Amino acid sequence: MKVWVLASGSTANSLVIEAAGERLLVDCGLGPRTLAGKLRAVGIPPESVGGVAVTHEHSDHIHGLKKACAKWRWPVLASTGTHAALGAKGVRGSAGGGARRIVLVNGQTVSHGALDVMGVRIQHDASEPMAFVVTCRASGARVAVATDIGELSASVLAAFARTDAIVLESNHDLQMLASGPYPPYLKQRIAARTGHLSNADCGSALEALAHRGLSHIVLAHLSEVNNTPEMARASAARALRKAGWRGKLAIAAPDGLTSGFEVGSSSMVERQLGLAI
Ligand SMILES: [Zn+2]
Ligand SMILES: [Zn+2]
């Protein structure tokens, strides 16, 4: 399984997962031309993408969705609430393009080509937003993706346990947010349980999720106003050191990661070797 983060942050979000010949986009915050250029740059023709899973309807996650779905006939995988919100915004997977709507139900897995996609209900100020756990059925490799998440509930932590890679929001430093230029209502909204994940909360979650099979962690959706890549990295690294974790920790810049990363299946290797995890 391979993952490329194409864009990350308050302007645009999109990543692509490839495994066993299947390609799945997660969120479509980039316009079709930029998206196509970024996909081709990593060797993926946009028409080879088999669908797009949408976390929620905020514009930084769906800006290019309508045109991309019409152009490439991608089915849209999302919760009932997200589908309804997309419909209200005039973005319909099926609007004239023949693309399908695939409904994700919290905690249930949908088979999509060679991939299994599980939607996990998360806390955020949107219509039934979701995180995703995507598994390659052939290799068993699993990646979890959660951006725009106010907190990681016990059910999200359970769903994210034993994944091989995690892309997780590390949105803001609490101190920078508190003393920063945003108006009070916006500060409250960001810091709320339905807002965005702070560096400190991201670190706590990663400490709980760290296990030796977790090979890659990508910190995503960093605020350009209330955070710095150095602070996000330091906070996560501190928490992960406490957990004794050794793996690759990367920061997704607004224009994504410069290179994709390869995710193997730790659980399958360890099962084959008869090792307890
Ligand atoms: Zn966002
Ligand atoms: Zn959002």
Side-chain angles (χ1 to χ4, degrees):
M1 175 182 273
K2 201 158 182 194
V3 181
W4 292 267
V5 180
L6 305 173
S8 181
S10 51
T11 307
N13 294 275
S14 193
L15 63 82
V16 62
I17 299 167
E18 177 183 73
E22 190 74 37
R23 280 108 183 225
L24 178 76
L25 201 73
V26 175
D27 285 334
C28 193
L30 295 165
R33 191 177 303 176
T34 310
L35 179 64
K38 281 178 170 273
L39 285 170
R40 288 197 184 100
V42 299
I44 297 181
E47 56 275 14
S48 73
V49 172
V52 53
V54 176
T55 57
H56 66 299
E57 73 278 15
H58 289 163
S59 64
D60 53 319
H61 299 258
I62 63 148
H63 169 70
L65 185 65
K66 186 177 183 178
K67 285 185 178 164
C69 287
K71 196 171 166 69
W72 296 302
R73 309 231 165 169
W74 293 339
V76 175
L77 296 81
S79 69
T80 303
T82 300
H83 277 304
L86 293 176
K89 284 173 178 258
V91 183
R92 259 181 261 268
S94 56
R100 283 178 301 143
R101 271 169 46 136
I102 298 169
V103 175
L104 298 175
V105 176
N106 180 31
Q108 294 185 14
T109 294
V110 165
S111 290
H112 189 68
L115 303 174
D116 283 343
V117 182
M118 180 170 72
V120 184
R121 181 76 167 84
I122 59 168
Q123 293 292 323
H124 187 55
D125 53 2
S127 173
E128 208 185 335
M130 281 187 157
F132 302 122
V133 178
V134 179
T135 306
C136 171
R137 274 199 306 285
S139 71
R142 300 169 76 218
V143 59
V145 181
T147 61
D148 299 58
I149 181 167
E151 63 172 10
L152 267 77
S153 63
S155 58
V156 177
L157 286 172
F160 279 21
R162 303 283 165 85
T163 48
D164 303 297
I166 298 177
V167 179
L168 183 61
E169 172 168 54
S170 192
N171 181 259
H172 57 275
D173 172 71
L174 286 167
Q175 203 56 48
M176 276 184 81
L177 177 66
S179 59
Y182 283 2
Y185 83 90
L186 192 52
K187 290 181 181 182
Q188 268 170 23
R189 204 185 130 201
I190 291 168
R193 290 175 63 190
T194 54
H196 290 271
L197 203 66
S198 68
N199 292 345
D201 287 346
C202 173
S204 304
L206 291 175
E207 191 180 341
L209 290 168
H211 67 103
R212 70 181 186 191
L214 177 63
S215 60
H216 290 79
I217 294 170
V218 179
L219 305 181
H221 214 297
L222 271 67
S223 168
E224 291 179 65
V225 175
N226 302 308
N227 208 355
T228 66
E230 294 74 24
M231 290 175 92
R233 180 186 286 278
S235 175
R238 218 171 15 250
L240 288 163
R241 254 197 314 276
K242 273 196 258 169
W245 182 76
R246 284 159 196 262
K248 283 228 151 89
L249 175 64
I251 312 281
D255 60 353
L257 284 173
T258 48
S259 59
F261 58 93
E262 192 95 40
V263 184
S265 167
S266 58
S267 55
M268 194 163 280
V269 171
E270 295 192 12
R271 268 203 306 278
Q272 282 164 357
L273 295 174
L275 300 171
I277 303 171

